[in-house]
Structure formats: C-alpha cells, structure tokens
Amino acid sequence: MSLQAFSASRALSIGVELELQLVNTHDYDLVGAAEDLLRLVALGDKPGEIKPEMTDSMIEVSTGVCDNYGMLLEQLVDLRDTVADAARRLNIGICGGGTHPFQDWGERRIVDRPRFHHLSDLYGYLAKQFTVFGQHVHVGCPGADVALYLIHGLSRYIPHLIALSAASPFVQGHDTGFQSARLNSVFAFPLSGRAPFVETWTDFGAYFEKMTGTGVVASMKDFYWDIRPKPEFGTVEVRVMDTPLSLERAAAITAYIQALARYLVVERPIQPAEDDYLVYTFNRFQACRFGYAGTYVDPETHWHCPIADEIDASLTRIEQHAIELGVDHVLGRLRQAVREGRNGAAWLRERHAAEGNLPEVVMAQCTRWMEGEVV
Amino acid sequence: MESPSSLSLWPAFLPLPAFDPFLGFALALVFTALVGEVLARRATLPRVSGYALAGLVLGPLVTGWFSAVELERYRGLVDLALALLLFELGVRLDLRWFRANPWLLAASAAEAALAFLLSLGALLAFGMDWSPALLLAAIALGTSPAVVMRVTAELRAEGQVTSRLLALCALNVAYSVILFTLLLHLARGVAGAGWLQALWQPFYLVAGSLLVAVLVAGAFALLRRLFNPASEQGVVVIFGLLLGALAILSMLKLPPILAPLLAGVLVKLRDPRPQLWAQHFGSLGGVLVVALFMFSGAALYIGHFGTALLLALAVAVARSLGKLGGVLVCGRASGLSTAKSVALGLALLPLSGVALLLAYEAQLADPALGAQVLPVVACLVAVFGVLGPVVSQRALIHVQENRKGEEA
C-alpha cells in the first residue's frame, strides 16, 4: 500500500481538536454519556465537528480550518457553548484536563463503532486505559517537504508545549508526581514516539511502504507519533498536549504553535539532523515530570536550562511573527503565566490541597471549562 | 416418673431461659441476608428481591415466623431505613436540572398522571368503588425509592437512565404521598368528617414536612463544617439527625417520607458539592435496608389473595402501561433515545415500602376503606417488590449503565 499524496492547504492555517471528559454531577466520576450528548448537540451550519472517541465518557470537538487566532477562538467558544448547553440538559459536567483524576479504567466501555472495537481487540486493556484527553493542533502546509521540515523543527518545542498544557497530575486517585501523566499512557502504544528522520515526501513514502510491507500498519492513523503529517488535510498535527483546563489556554497554545511554525517556515533557522533526537525523549520526560521546572537540553549546543527559561527565550525569538499574526497579546499573557509558574497541573494540585478531595476538584474543573475565563 | 431436674443438665440455681423475641428477629435477619446473597451470586438477581422473597416466606403468608404484632414492633427500624434512603435520594435530585431541561418535568408529570389514570380506570372497570380506587391509584403512581436506590447502588449504575430514574422516582414519591393524603381526607370529607379538615390535611403535610426538612438541611449544613460526612463520625451524625427528624415527625403526626426527601433536595440545592458519604451510610445502614425489605415482604397475609389478586394484576398492567407511555411520550424531547426511554419506563416499576406505609395509613384512618385498599397493595408489593427490582436491574444492564457486574 502506498502513501497518499499530500494535499495542499493554506500555509499556517490552524485547526484544533480537543478531547473532553464527561462526568456525572453527583460524585464527578466519568459517565458514559457520549451517545446521549451527541444526539442532543446540533451545530446547525456552524463550522466544526463533535465526535465520539474510544470510550463512552469522552467526546472530541474540532474546529474547521481557521485563518487566525480570532476565528479559532470564536469557533471554539461556539463549540464549547453547544456542548455545555447539551451537558446541562443531561445534568452532566464537561471538563478539560489530560486525565480524569480518580476514574477506574476497568469501568470504561468501548464506544460501539467498528474502528473502536478493532482497536480494543488489538490493544486489549490499553484501549480502555487510553481514556485520556489530549489537544491536537493542525498547522496548514503548502507542501509535503515543508511539512517534514516543520515536523523536525517543532519537535524541539515539544517540552514547551507539554509544560504549557500539562494538566494530568492525578491518575486512578493518586498524585503521580508528574505534571502530564497522560503521555505515559500514550507511550504504551507500540507506534508512539517520534516520526522517523526523513526530509522529503519521497523518502517518507519509502518508509511508509516498508512499514506497510511488514504488515504492522495499514494507514497513517496507526502511527501515534507526537507530531505526524496528515496528508489528507495537508497539515502537520501536533499531539503532545493535554487538553488544557480552559478553552482560552487551548487557543493560546494554538497561537503559540502557529507563531512557531511561521518562524520556522519563514526563517528556516535550523538544519534538522538525526542527532537532534538524541535528547528528545529526555526533554520530553523532563517536561512531563517537572513541567516548567524540568531541564531542557538544547539539541545543538547541549546547553542545559529550565524549560521555563527556554519558553521565555522562544517567545522572544518569535515575537515578530507573533506581531505579524496579531497574537502578540495572547503570547504575552502566556509568557506571564510561565513566569508565574501557572499551568493546569499546578492549579489542580492547588485545588486538591484546598478541597481535600478529588471529586470537588473535578467539579471546579467543570466550572472552569464550561463557564470559561476572562481573556 | 423422674423429676425433670434430675435429668436436666441445666443447673437448678440458674433461672430457666425465656425466649427473647429479638432472637427471632436476629435469625430472620441472617436468613434474609443469606437468601439475598444466594440469589445475587447464583442467579445475578438483585439482593433486594431476595430480601423481599425471604420476608414473604417469613411472614404470615407462608411460615408465620413474624406475626402482624411483631411487624409493628420493628416499625421504627423500617422508618429509619426508609428515611435514610429517601434523604440520599433527595441529595441525588438537583432541581437546577429541571431549569435546564423542563421536558424532564413533563416526562415526570406524564408518567405519574398516566399511571394514576390508567390504574384508576382499571379498578373502576373491575367494579371497585371510587374512594378505594382513587387511593389505590395514588399509591400505584409511585415508584419504590428504596428498591431504586438499592438496585442502582448494587450495579454502581450511572448514566442518563439512572439519573432520570432517581429524579422521576423522587418526584413520583412526592406526588404519591401528597395526592394520597389529599384523596384520603377528601374521601373522609365526603363521609362527613368535614371539608375544611379534608383540605387542611394535605397542606399540613406539605408545610409540616417542609419545615422539618428545612431544619434537617440547616442542621446538616452546620454540622458539615465540623464533620466530614464520609467519615464514621459523620455517618453517626447523619443517623442522629434523621432519628431526631423522625421523632419530630412522629410528634407532629406526619409520615416519615416527604420530610427526609425534601431535606435531601434542599441540601443539594444549597450546596452542589459532591456528597461523599458511603452509599446507604455504610454497614449499619445496610442492616436497616435488609430489615426494610424483609418487613415489606412479610406484610402479606393469607387473606390477601383472592379478588385482591385480580385487582392487583389489573393495576399492575395499567400502571406499567402508564409509566412506559408517559416516559416514551416525552422521551425524545427530553433528550433520551427510544431504547433508553423504554428502559427508564421499566426501571420505574418497582413498588415497595412506601406503598405499604400509605396503605397502613389508610387503614388507620378508616378501617373499612383500609380493608379494601390494603390487600390490593400487599399483592402489588408482592409482585413489584420481588420482580420489580429484577426488571429495573435488567433494564439498566441492557442500556449498559452498570459499572459493576456483567457487560450486557
């Protein structure tokens, strides 16, 4: 089986997918309500999509293709209001966060769709353990080779994106010590991790054919890479983020990715090399475990510094591009959050210390997600 | 003949043991718990069906282990068990839901009204007089809160059908008690007890229960600042609070149903935080629940069968049709698929303790009327108390809302 052609898309257009948690409002455990919610939501002619996910206490909302941050935020707010309204009619809560803090994975049910049943048969309990919630961001690329350049360029910013979005410190009722424990669930899958180091679509096609030849994969969907090309959309898809606790943070992270992509594509500041990936899993782990306080190792200079400093530096590097894209104010607020050490994981731990129990933390998460934050 | 004392191993200086009736109760409790457990393990039936079945066997109908007098002796226990379950049910009912989805109230009104009207029609068609027929229909429109709470807890059920089941049950229990009181006193008003009295009674029921509920909910809110309701001391505090409420209700001659339910609703309305106490207040509450179902089963007399059985079957069919129809009519509009609406209608069928309490009340107020009402209710409870939980359980498993037990 050969790889499909890479469709062209508007350069630097953006789109977001968010996996969301459905919880009951009695004890705030996950609840199997995806089918009920999907029956109720009607987007009408508004852009975007609301879809089921692997288990029945998850849904995924996705925007259409957006030109800029303003358009994206507007679509996300519409999607949020639509699902929040349906959720209120069902007396359930919807929230962000990369994991549900105390659900029992054994109680999850696989959604009745052929693809999910297939995955459940293949992966066994991993499928139910995959009840974790991520944010995926698509960035439009004018061509396939640019997409591969962008994949290798953005892979240096994986720790930044993990630290900014980290919102999964609790798993199965315990504090894991991680800021993003969700990515540990993703790592259990055999085809997770990073994309191979190839720089042209021809070479990528050759790799893909070798893989399908082994019978291990049938389509691009079988790769669970942190960043992967999405040829049918003509985009690069960044998949390392936890779903943030608020839609505003999700939109800000998307703006950051868009500005990074513009910087990379326009300035071509790096020469990608296989050796860039020597520090990749170390950096990724540091970000998951310690968030902003983790150590970042520069792939070229091997310089060590806190991830927070490197995010700050990156925001300075891409400032001009942020201004061109009209998101400098958004990234300014993000910089402030980094300096104050604010992310989802920190907030969840604060709430837990204040409330003393996890159900009340989830209740606060629902309010934060459904009612939004002042931008 | 040898004297007994020379044969007996019992030393003469000790007093001869006298049978303590409490031993009979204790043995019955063990037997009941065992029947529930065996049915649950062997046939995956709800434990409450086993408890009710054991009660049926222990009661005057089969073995006569319990007599009517003994049943009255443990009435306080039954009341406390029921009050605990109703308080918990009230806490599960968030009134804000009705503002977000008014169709739910329509579904509730439809299923209760249809169950009432169809049951009434069936009884009149079988030649029953208006007064007992109205009272019976008012009892039949309710759903057993105890069964619903137990069955959902046993399955760890969660989902749309489960939360609607609990909400509709809480509402129809309230309708049933209020309507029953109104009709009972109207019937007596017709019989010459005075109209003012007839209209005063339901008002007194609602206002009095609300007052006690406000007291309980207020006290709970205060105590929650001091005690964690999930801790052992917290459970003791809640028990004490409800016992106090029962005592006040008994002083005020109010039934122990509406007030605990309303108290729970007020607690949730005032404080939407999750209430994290152990379900049914842990093991102590568990003992009370077993006793509750045992007694509801044991309330059947041999004399109850006969024409009452036929009437009960008519009501059973009418009530089932009413509940299913009412829920189905509003299902789509309230956001429930047809399959789930059917499951909800079926899950609403159990009838148990509250129905019996109301029937006893009718008998107390007017023995002649009670003699017509009680036998039919006893038969209904025998059917819906044993089979109802099974139907509820299967319905919830069918729509995959159980988090424990078999995958449907």
Side-chain angles (χ1 to χ4, degrees), chain A residues 68-345:
Chain A
N68 53 51
Y69 171 80
M71 188 175 170
L72 181 91
L73 188 62
E74 192 182 319
Q75 287 195 15
L76 279 175
V77 168
D78 272 346
L79 283 164
R80 193 250 330 263
D81 291 350
T82 305
V83 292
D85 181 56
R88 285 189 195 99
R89 286 170 66 194
L90 297 174
N91 198 27
I92 60 173
I94 296 193
C95 63
T99 54
H100 184 278
F102 62 89
Q103 61 114 359
D104 177 344
W105 65 265
E107 291 180 348
R108 304 282 68 85
R109 283 180 193 276
I110 301 295
V111 167
D112 192 15
R113 302 283 151 96
R115 173 166 166 81
F116 297 136
H117 283 309
H118 164 73
L119 290 173
S120 174
D121 291 344
L122 176 63
Y123 290 118
Y125 90 118
L126 288 183
K128 285 188 180 179
Q129 287 229 318
F130 205 51
T131 306
V132 290
F133 308 84
Q135 173 184 0
H136 301 171
V137 172
H138 288 269
V139 183
C141 298
D145 294 353
V146 179
L148 289 166
Y149 178 81
L150 206 50
I151 286 175
H152 300 308
L154 283 173
S155 73
R156 299 181 172 208
Y157 295 91
I158 289 304
H160 311 46
L161 298 170
I162 291 172
L164 285 167
S165 69
S168 51
F170 300 105
V171 173
Q172 309 280 307
H174 297 280
D175 192 329
T176 58
F178 276 66
Q179 297 224 348
S180 169
R182 163 184 153 271
L183 279 174
N184 296 329
S185 302
V186 181
F187 238 2
F189 286 83
L191 298 168
S192 64
R194 66 173 184 93
F197 186 73
V198 289
E199 292 187 90
T200 64
W201 196 245
T202 324
D203 289 349
F204 188 81
Y207 168 83
F208 185 79
E209 251 168 72
K210 275 195 279 180
M211 283 303 282
T212 49
T214 63
V216 172
V217 295
S219 78
M220 276 305 299
K221 272 190 178 173
D222 295 323
F223 293 111
Y224 284 69
W225 295 329
D226 294 342
I227 312 180
R228 71 182 179 190
K230 188 89 176 170
E232 62 267 45
F233 291 171
T235 61
V236 161
E237 183 187 9
V238 185
R239 302 150 46 84
V240 283
M241 289 80 72
D242 283 355
T243 298
L245 296 179
S246 72
L247 176 151
E248 290 73 15
R249 176 59 73 98
I253 287 171
T254 310
Y256 179 50
I257 293 176
Q258 190 191 25
L260 283 171
R262 190 174 196 278
Y263 160 74
L264 290 165
V265 171
V266 172
E267 292 190 21
R268 294 261 173 174
I270 57 160
Q271 187 56 51
E274 172 65 53
D275 278 0
D276 290 355
Y277 288 101
L278 290 176
V279 294
Y280 182 81
T281 45
F282 175 85
N283 281 342
R284 188 182 189 275
F285 162 78
Q286 285 284 323
C288 288
R289 173 74 176 83
F290 302 109
Y292 298 134
T295 302
Y296 177 77
V297 182
D298 188 285
E300 275 174 45
T301 63
H302 301 171
W303 172 257
H304 290 218
C305 71
I307 290 171
D309 293 1
E310 171 41 38
I311 297 176
D312 212 303
S314 76
L315 287 167
T316 309
R317 273 200 300 279
I318 64 173
E319 199 157 20
Q320 198 51 45
H321 298 278
I323 293 169
E324 299 282 342
L325 291 167
V327 295
D328 45 322
H329 62 295
V330 181
L331 299 195
R333 278 198 302 272
L334 217 47
R335 190 199 291 267
Q336 196 56 35
V338 175
R339 288 182 177 167
E340 289 166 11
R342 279 187 287 120
N343 69 4

Side-chain angles (χ1 to χ4, degrees), chain B residues 40-88:
Chain B
R41 294 225 185 130
R42 290 288 157 84
T44 62
L45 293 176
R47 284 178 179 78
V48 286
S49 288
Y51 301 159
L53 201 62
L56 216 63
V57 172
L58 292 168
L61 185 66
V62 184
T63 61
W65 187 267
F66 286 119
S67 68
V69 187
E70 262 166 311
L71 287 177
E72 199 48 42
R73 192 205 312 266
Y74 296 107
R75 172 72 195 269
L77 213 58
V78 173
D79 283 356
L80 178 60
L82 203 55
L84 286 170
L85 290 168
L86 283 163
F87 180 65
E88 227 182 322

Side-chain angles (χ1 to χ4, degrees), chain B residues 7 26-27 35 68 91 116 154 221 293 295 300 355 385:
Chain B
L7 259 185
L27 289 175
V35 172
V91 169
F116 176 78
E154 207 168 274
F293 284 99
F295 285 129
L300 271 183

Side-chain angles (χ1 to χ4, degrees), chain B residues 116-355:
Chain B
F116 176 78
L117 291 174
L118 291 180
S119 299
L120 180 66
L123 287 166
L124 293 175
F126 275 85
M128 192 175 237
D129 290 338
W130 272 93
S131 292
L134 280 166
L135 290 180
L136 272 170
I139 291 176
L141 76 82
T143 296
S144 164
V147 168
V148 159
M149 290 299 285
R150 281 307 309 170
V151 168
T152 53
E154 207 168 274
L155 294 171
R156 275 180 44 72
E158 203 58 74
Q160 277 303 297
V161 176
T162 305
S163 44
R164 283 164 197 240
L165 171 62
L166 295 172
L168 294 193
C169 174
L171 287 174
N172 71 29
V173 167
Y175 305 153
S176 177
V177 172
I178 296 169
L179 188 62
F180 175 86
T181 310
L182 176 71
L183 291 171
L184 177 63
H185 293 281
L186 278 180
R188 301 188 66 214
V190 173
W195 288 100
L196 200 61
Q197 160 87 351
L199 291 173
W200 161 248
Q201 280 297 335
F203 172 76
Y204 176 67
L205 167 76
V206 174
S209 300
L210 193 60
L211 183 73
V212 176
V214 168
L215 286 176
V216 172
F220 180 84
L222 282 177
L223 287 166
R224 198 181 159 168
R225 294 192 196 154
L226 302 173
F227 289 94
N228 173 5
S231 71
E232 212 168 310
Q233 300 89 311
V235 170
V236 172
V237 167
I238 296 172
F239 264 67
L241 209 55
L242 287 175
L243 271 175
L246 288 177
I248 295 173
L249 288 169
S250 145
M251 283 186 251
L252 296 174
K253 303 225 175 326
L254 285 167
I257 301 166
L258 212 48
L261 182 67
L262 285 171
V265 171
L266 290 175
V267 164
K268 182 73 177 174
L269 188 65
R270 204 189 146 277
D271 181 1
R273 283 184 298 169
Q275 303 290 344
L276 298 170
W277 57 64
Q279 246 166 347
H280 314 325
F281 310 104
S283 36
L284 185 51
V287 174
L288 292 177
V289 166
V290 176
L292 169 68
F293 284 99
M294 179 171 84
F295 285 129
S296 66
L300 271 183
Y301 295 75
I302 194 93
H304 285 164
F305 288 103
T307 48
L309 190 62
L310 190 66
L311 288 170
L313 285 176
V315 174
V317 173
R319 163 173 192 276
S320 308
L321 289 176
K323 295 213 165 278
L324 268 171
V327 169
L328 271 168
V329 163
C330 301
R332 287 263 157 192
S334 69
L336 208 58
S337 70
T338 308
K340 288 193 177 182
S341 295
V342 171
L344 176 58
L346 292 172
L348 278 168
L349 290 181
L351 198 66
S352 183
V354 172

Side-chain angles (χ1 to χ4, degrees), chain A residues 24-33 35-36 39-40 56 88-92 107-109 128 357 359-360 363, chain B residues 92 97 100-101 156 158-160 164 224 268 272-276 332-333 335-337 340 400 402-403 406-408:
Chain A
N24 77 57
T25 52
H26 167 61
D27 61 10
Y28 288 89
D29 196 355
L30 286 178
V31 64
E35 301 281 2
D36 302 300
R39 275 171 29 77
L40 275 189
D56 66 1
R88 285 189 195 99
R89 286 170 66 194
L90 297 174
N91 198 27
I92 60 173
E107 291 180 348
R108 304 282 68 85
R109 283 180 193 276
K128 285 188 180 179
N357 65 72
E360 286 188 36
M363 183 177 158
Chain B
R92 292 294 301 263
W97 191 7
N101 190 352
R156 275 180 44 72
E158 203 58 74
Q160 277 303 297
R164 283 164 197 240
R224 198 181 159 168
K268 182 73 177 174
R273 283 184 298 169
Q275 303 290 344
L276 298 170
R332 287 263 157 192
L336 208 58
S337 70
K340 288 193 177 182
Q400 304 201 330
N402 60 313
R403 290 183 290 173
E406 59 203 283
E407 289 206 14

